[in-house]
Amino acid sequence: MAAKVETGKNRPPPPGDESFGAKLTRLKQFIAEVRQEFGKVVWPGKKQTIMSTAVVVVLVSLIAAYLGIVDLVLGKLVGFILR
């Protein structure tokens, strides 16, 4: 079965065959597209950011405390068994 060959202007050139100007043009286009996408982002407000941060800090603290207690209990249990 023969390989399908792309035709048209949108086909990228083979690697290494691109001139510096073409690479620069592609880079500029990429940066323009990134800026356009950033414009579509809905950024959270100050209140929402503070609340989300508080939730993360509380949950991390609770999980750390739980894991610390489990570690302490299991350490004491292993110490008791090995004596």
Side-chain angles (χ1 to χ4, degrees), residues 1-66:
M1 195 182 266
K4 192 174 185 180
V5 177
E6 289 185 35
T7 58
K9 288 185 175 182
N10 291 336
R11 183 177 63 130
D17 285 357
E18 216 172 5
S19 70
F20 178 74
K23 288 179 183 178
L24 189 60
T25 302
R26 284 185 51 220
L27 178 62
K28 287 179 183 178
Q29 180 183 2
F30 174 75
I31 292 172
E33 290 173 5
V34 168
R35 291 186 72 188
Q36 183 181 14
E37 289 298 319
F38 265 120
K40 296 178 185 178
V41 173
V42 178
W43 298 100
K46 183 177 180 179
K47 183 177 180 181
Q48 186 179 5
T49 303
I50 290 171
M51 291 302 293
S52 297
T53 303
V55 167
V56 168
V57 168
V58 168
L59 287 176
V60 167
S61 299
L62 290 173
I63 292 170
Y66 170 75

